[in-house]
Every structure is written in C-alpha cells, then in structure tokens.
Amino acid sequence: MSTLGTEVELDLVVERKETMAVGVVLLTLRHPENRPLPEWQPGAHIDLVLRVDMVRQYSLCGDPADRSRFQVAVLREPESRGGSSHVHEVLMEGESVRVRGPRNHFPLVKAKNYLFIAGGIGITPILPMVAAVNATRADWRLVYGGRTRASMAFGEMLRRAYGERVSLRPQDEYGLLDLPALLGKPQRRTAVYSCGPEPLLAAVEVGCEKWPSGSLHLERFAPKQGATAGPQSSFEVELAQSGKKLLVSEDMSVLEAVEAAGVPVMTSCEEGICGTCETKVLSGAIDHRDSVLTEAERAAGDTMMICVSRAKGDRLVLDV
Ligand code: FES
C-alpha cells in the first residue's frame, strides 16, 4: 500500500525507556507539548533519526487509538550497524528524538481468518494487528517463536490477554517453528501475516506457495535474499516536474542520480525495505528490486523504490 505524500517530521521526547525482554527495550515517545500524534494503523512503522547519518525504522507496537504516544520496541542486534546500540546505550529518557512517518507497507487486510507468525522482534507490528483482529468476529491464531522465553518480548502479556489463541514457541524448548504443520494445508479466506528474521520469512514464503494468491503478507527488516541483484545497465531518467533529464550510470542508483541533480528526495534505509523513497513512475518499465511492494503493486508498475530499483528499458519518467 502506498503512503506517498503523507510524511511528517516531529521532534518527540523519550518519556519512558523500559526493558521488555533480554536485549529488548520499549520506547514511549510523546510530543513535548502533549499534542496529538499522527494517526496510524496496525502494521505502520516510523523512522527514528538517531543522527543525521543514522536513520532506523521501527514498527509501532502500541495502541493506534492512543494519539498521545508512539511506542516502539528495539532489539539490540549483535551485528548492529549502530542503530540498536545507539537506542540501547545513548538515547535516554527525557531526550528528544526526531521521528518521521508513520508509514504503512504492511496493512491489515479484511479476512475471515488470520494466522500470525512472528519471529523474535518481528512480534512488534503483529501486536496492534492481533488487538484489532481480536475486536472483530474473525478467527485468529498467533504463533510466536524466539530464541528463548526470556528473549521474547510481550510473550507472557500476549498469553494472558488472548490465552490459547497464542502459541509461544521458544526455540530452546520446541526447536524451529513447525511451518509444514501450520502452512501445509492451504486455507481459503485466511490471511497469513509474518514478520521476523529473513530465514523465517523465506520459509513462510515457501510454505505459502500453494495458498491462494494474496494470502501472504510479510514485513522484512533486511532485503529479501537476492532482491537487489541483477544487471547494472545505464538508462535515462526524466524528472517530470522540472523536465530535467539524468543519466543513471551502471554504478549508481536512481536515488543517487536524482540527489546529484540537486533534487531533494526523502530516503531512509536505502536498501529497499522501508518504502520511504517510493516514487511515482509516469512511464517506462521498472526493474523492481525492493523488498516492500507486493506482486500486485509491482505489476501495476506505477511506483518504485528509487534507492534500489532500476529501469528495464532505456528510460523512466518519474513524477519528481
Ligand atoms: Fe527505504 Fe528506499 S529508502 S526503500
């Protein structure tokens, strides 16, 4: 789902920072003058601008009806590029942090039944989803895996709130999630939502291959394996709003070419996973290399992530 043109930027205050599980802190952010925060829906994420050169995306995990605060949970990543350790070690209660968004590329669709499969910190976008679905007549189930029970943020809270609908499956007690048992029999009118580490998502994708088209909804923290690979040929990009024509050479991205032409563009991950740089395409065939758009959105061919995607032919015209 496109959220083009809905970006806002706010300086919020870290009202609370609390440990939710081993290696996971929950940040509660408020407006310094207690103004209401932008609306959002389950599946949305925000950017935290931790430094000018350090922008990270985190799923909103609180209650969308509570406009007084945003909540995000942050896992300390052993292989961190600096973002999660900055949140854990540097960012303190009472400090200000710049927030961009919210943005939603993982929206909750209407279905009769829902199967949620979360791995580790991938539980965060699922939290407001199960709350929303639980308030309807839909049938649902959540299977939540993690390394150990102590590392699984919100696990016990989910069990207390929803009982048997929630299966907690720490790996040291149960092994890997039994996806063949969960996904082996395709279900009609059932939406499968999954978020977590790439191996889990890749396995869920394989497990859903025989499910009706459109059943599976994924959100990734890292680019899908091989997503950005492909031929690196040069092509022309025309910026419709200014009439500028740019050459995107083999070794540069569309984003780099646009920025080099002095045209400001909103970016964040620059890996094709957050959706910030989504840009309308007015003509030309797109070589999609992102990990955000659905198959249907790719087929529509009217929008692209310019940080990674390229042209299939000689020319693209962008609504920039
Ligand atoms: Fe994140 Fe392009 S900047 S998808």
Side-chain angles (χ1 to χ4, degrees):
M1 175 193 275
S2 171
T3 52
L4 282 169
T6 58
E7 291 282 332
V8 295
E9 199 160 296
L10 292 167
D11 289 320
L12 302 184
V13 174
V14 180
E15 183 187 65
R16 233 174 31 240
K17 176 176 166 181
E18 53 200 308
T19 300
M20 299 305 291
V22 173
V24 179
V25 291
L26 177 69
L27 300 180
T28 300
L29 309 172
R30 278 187 193 270
H31 193 281
E33 291 152 20
N34 288 320
R35 292 202 199 136
L37 298 180
E39 284 183 43
W40 61 280
Q41 302 298 326
H45 70 265
I46 53 173
D47 287 345
L48 294 189
V49 185
L50 300 167
R51 288 196 318 241
V52 274
D53 59 345
M54 189 185 279
V55 182
R56 298 291 184 269
Q57 298 78 44
Y58 299 104
S59 296
L60 289 166
C61 63
D63 175 5
D66 181 357
R67 302 276 304 278
S68 69
R69 61 186 189 170
F70 281 161
Q71 288 189 306
V72 294
V74 180
L75 169 70
R76 182 199 285 275
E77 305 271 6
E79 307 287 307
S80 171
R81 291 172 296 146
S84 72
S85 51
H86 186 99
V87 170
H88 277 255
E89 287 158 26
V90 180
L91 190 63
M92 296 294 163
E93 286 183 356
E95 289 185 358
S96 179
V97 63
R98 179 152 293 190
V99 170
R100 294 199 308 226
R103 197 176 300 125
N104 198 346
H105 286 279
F106 193 41
L108 194 56
V109 298
K110 247 200 160 102
K112 185 160 179 281
N113 311 303
Y114 294 85
L115 171 60
F116 297 101
I117 303 173
I121 198 66
I123 191 64
T124 50
I126 304 293
L127 290 173
M129 288 187 173
V130 297
V133 167
N134 195 57
T136 71
R137 290 173 168 210
D139 195 12
W140 67 273
R141 181 179 176 200
L142 164 63
V143 181
Y144 176 15
R147 282 177 295 107
T148 64
R149 212 167 269 272
S151 73
M152 293 170 64
F154 310 106
E156 289 310 318
M157 179 274 279
L158 283 161
R159 279 287 293 180
R160 275 197 305 277
Y162 305 116
E164 296 301 312
R165 287 188 183 276
V166 175
S167 305
L168 300 183
R169 290 289 180 269
Q171 195 176 339
D172 62 345
E173 296 175 34
Y174 293 91
L176 292 174
L177 294 182
D178 188 357
L179 295 180
L182 286 171
L183 301 170
K185 198 164 158 228
Q187 309 285 329
R188 287 180 59 243
R189 301 169 74 190
T190 299
V192 179
Y193 277 81
S194 189
C195 184
E198 184 54 31
L200 171 67
L201 300 188
V204 170
E205 274 187 313
V206 170
C208 284
E209 271 169 2
K210 297 205 170 87
W211 283 58
S213 149
S215 303
L216 178 59
H217 307 265
L218 299 176
E219 180 157 82
R220 296 188 136 84
F221 302 142
K224 187 175 173 174
Q225 207 176 12
T228 56
Q232 292 289 117
S233 12
S234 62
F235 54 94
E236 184 185 84
V237 164
E238 182 177 333
L239 308 183
Q241 291 176 21
S242 61
K244 286 186 179 174
K245 290 185 180 160
L246 319 173
L247 176 72
V248 181
S249 59
E250 295 89 338
D251 57 351
M252 77 192 318
S253 65
V254 175
L255 173 64
E256 286 167 337
V258 172
E259 285 180 331
V263 178
V265 195
M266 195 79 108
T267 73
S268 181
C269 71
E270 301 191 11
E271 293 183 292
I273 54 173
C274 75
T276 310
C277 69
E278 185 176 10
T279 301
K280 277 189 186 160
V281 179
L282 301 176
S283 77
I286 307 160
D287 178 3
H288 290 288
R289 299 188 184 188
D290 66 88
S291 304
V292 180
L293 296 177
T294 63
E295 283 311 315
E297 288 166 337
R298 284 165 181 248
D302 53 10
T303 178
M304 71 186 281
M305 303 302 154
I306 59 170
C307 62
V308 289
S309 296
R310 304 184 68 82
K312 264 192 186 141
D314 298 337
R315 190 163 175 271
L316 288 172
V317 181
L318 304 182
D319 188 12
V320 171

